[in-house]
Amino acid sequence: MIVELINTGSELMLGRTLNTHQQWLCRRMADLGWPVSRQVAIADTGPEIQQAVRESLGRADLILVTGGLGPTSDDITRELIADLVNKPLRENPAIVAELKRFFAERNRPMPARNLVQAQVPEGAVVLPNPNGTAPGLAIKIEDGSWKMEDGGAGRLQSSTPNPPTAQWIVMLPGPPRELRPMFTDTVVPLLQCELPRQIFVCHTLRTSGIGESALAEIIDGPLQAFIARGLELGYCARPGQVDVRLVARIPQAEALVLDAERIITPLLSRYVYASDDEDLEAVIVRELTARKQTLAIAESCTGGCIAHRITNVPGASAILIAGLVTYANAAKEKFAGVRPETLAAHGAVSEPVAREMAEGARQATGADFALAVTGIAGPSGGTPEKPVGTVFMAVSSAAGTVAVKQLNRFDRETFKDVAAQQVLGMLRRAMV
Ligand code: ATP
Ligand code: MG
């Protein structure tokens, strides 16, 4: 089964809007076992949309098209696709009634141009839009033919061994708050009913504290036998974290992936923090909550980034006692208990200060764990001994205090993200 995704919108091509549909829909489709094999983004002009859909119709069993279902003159997806697949548009009285109700409820007169949203290609399934005015549309093409550029008929050249007997085009509205519920509530049940099931199992192990190549050195060898049996191995490196992706598309895929995961998890035990998409901070909050333990944070160069991540997790109040942003030396002394002698002898960006910040925050709050970060984000402020990017981090607990030095040469914002990820990784390892 071949699935393709076409995102329309000139704002995407002008860099004004980030194409979040690409990530969101590809992710959902992969989770459902129908990974998208090709995606294009195009401006929402007539020839571009028809050309892209025509190309996809030559290959794909399912084509998802986003955007351009609105009432303005640039919203032409519906007409262009109906024309391409030879389905005349007809006004749908139920949608007209729904549009009237939508505007009446809001005490606004309905602009006549909204009626275009009630136009439905003959035989299409209407996908209700409880969050907006443009319903989605799903068109089934059973004869495998559509209009070529010269007006002749094109045909599906599917490369799949047993292609489904019909092709589907699903059109979804552009606004994410309309598209996402529509996809979940209406499109997924439709696809599950209409499309053949496909085997696709994907597990991701998330790691921190180890680089991509070091990780590959540990697991590439032990996984060779699994790869020979059909396992697909992938790495996704991000600042401060590497994901290992295990994919299988064969019968017994689940068993193959689980066996492979069982082999490599102990090899990476210190570094793996989640076996699905859970974020590091979510794992920490969940585990500290289960252990009825607490956390304090003393940050300097990360400016609250670590506390921000922890407090993004629902239920963080059960474990977080305090997040101190002690930027000035005086604040490090007053609130994090750093001794003036330590600051004078080693400077604010130093291992002893990171240690004292963590220990001081733990003492002041009574938390079970405390972490601390102090560094030079740049672009200025570096010295030959402590260049820009130098950061010291510490984790303190009843078991003692561990501290490390890292060199993160990034722009300021990435530097903060990476340092936060690293120290949260340290905390996680200290908790194991
Ligand atoms: P509308 O009725 O709002 O015109 P529409 O179906 O015609 O809906 P578009 O005009 O293409 O959709 O886009 C509407 C808005 O949806 C855009 O301004 C943008 O904010 C958002 N949007 C569209 N496509 C995407 C995308 N691929 N990723 C993220 N946001 C998008
Ligand atoms: Mg629009």
Side-chain angles (χ1 to χ4, degrees), residues 7-12 16-22 39 41 44 66-72 74-78 114 117 129 133-134 172-180:
N7 301 116
T8 75
S10 298
E11 72 274 19
L12 303 175
R16 298 298 195 275
T17 300
L18 179 66
N19 185 1
T20 57
H21 294 343
Q22 192 264 325
Q39 176 272 336
D44 43 15
T66 68
L69 297 180
T72 56
D74 59 351
D75 294 321
I76 48 179
T77 307
R78 179 189 301 100
N114 273 86
Q117 298 178 311
N129 183 354
T133 55
L172 298 164
R177 54 177 286 279
E178 299 179 24
L179 175 143
R180 294 181 184 193

Side-chain angles (χ1 to χ4, degrees), residues 367-390:
D368 296 290
F369 290 91
L371 37 88
V373 173
T374 174
I376 305 162
S380 59
T383 63
E385 308 81 63
K386 293 178 190 171
V388 167
T390 302

